Amino acid sequence: MSSWTITPERPDSPVARALWRAYYTEVSDRWYLLHEDRRTDPAELEREVAARTGAELAPPTGRLLIARYDGEPAGSAGVRLLDPATAELTRVFVPEGLRGKGGAALLVAAAEDAARVLGARRIVLDTRSDLVEARALYARLGYTETERHNDDVYAEHWFRKELFN
């Protein structure tokens, strides 16, 4: 029987870096294919992956969680404190071949637990219109669309969920 495990991991670990590269490639390619009918330029990919190390997802004010499916790396989710009561959910990713097996919901639940441990009472996130699967996941997990909470140029939808202990 197949199973998921989720554990914290350093953002600079080889597994975390490989999942970040896969995540960034997918969301960047989707954006460019939709808006410019091309894939991400390899030089841009390298610049962005190198520039966005995920250091903000390291303790003491953040956590990066890695999912494994049958022991193999299969997804990620990160949280970081924006203020003492608010955490941001980011880098939620499960590769396409593993979607539909429940991993994303488990990752989000584990990220919510990590946010509570950090002291957060609410969790926020942003996403894009073309990431319809993500928006459906967040709505199904009790997130409500809310006002803008950041200035990310690619963000088009903002969500929030109150965390209860």
Side-chain angles (χ1 to χ4, degrees):
M1 178 172 230
S2 300
S3 65
W4 289 94
T5 58
I6 298 173
T7 56
E9 188 134 354
R10 291 174 43 106
D12 62 352
S13 77
V15 167
R17 287 194 317 253
L19 286 165
W20 168 231
R21 176 179 293 281
Y23 169 88
Y24 189 85
T25 300
E26 180 175 330
V27 298
S28 182
D29 279 355
R30 284 176 73 160
W31 192 90
Y32 280 121
L33 287 168
L34 180 65
H35 296 284
E36 297 182 13
D37 197 31
R38 67 174 179 91
R39 294 195 179 279
T40 307
D41 177 84
E44 177 194 356
L45 175 66
E46 293 309 317
R47 269 192 320 275
E48 290 302 312
V49 166
R52 298 179 185 211
T53 65
E56 71 280 5
L57 304 177
T61 58
R63 298 291 183 277
L64 179 66
L65 304 167
I66 299 297
R68 288 178 170 76
Y69 187 71
D70 289 342
E72 295 298 317
S76 64
V79 291
R80 69 181 180 126
L81 288 178
L82 298 178
D83 63 50
T86 308
E88 180 181 41
L89 177 63
T90 186
R91 293 193 187 191
V92 177
F93 175 68
V94 173
E96 188 173 3
L98 292 168
R99 293 179 189 155
K101 299 178 184 294
L106 292 171
L107 274 163
V108 171
E112 291 170 0
D113 288 343
R116 285 183 193 95
V117 169
L118 292 171
R121 295 189 309 268
R122 75 191 62 81
I123 193 165
V124 298
L125 64 94
D126 67 69
T127 192
R128 298 187 328 229
S129 293
D130 63 306
L131 300 176
V132 294
E133 309 92 336
R135 291 189 1 249
L137 171 72
Y138 300 132
R140 188 174 79 245
L141 297 178
Y143 286 77
T144 56
E145 199 153 353
T146 187
E147 71 280 348
R148 174 187 288 265
H149 67 265
N150 63 23
D151 293 326
D152 186 319
V153 298
Y154 296 106
E156 298 169 310
H157 299 270
W158 295 264
F159 289 84
R160 174 184 175 131
K161 183 177 182 180
E162 297 301 316
L163 299 175
F164 302 100
N165 292 328

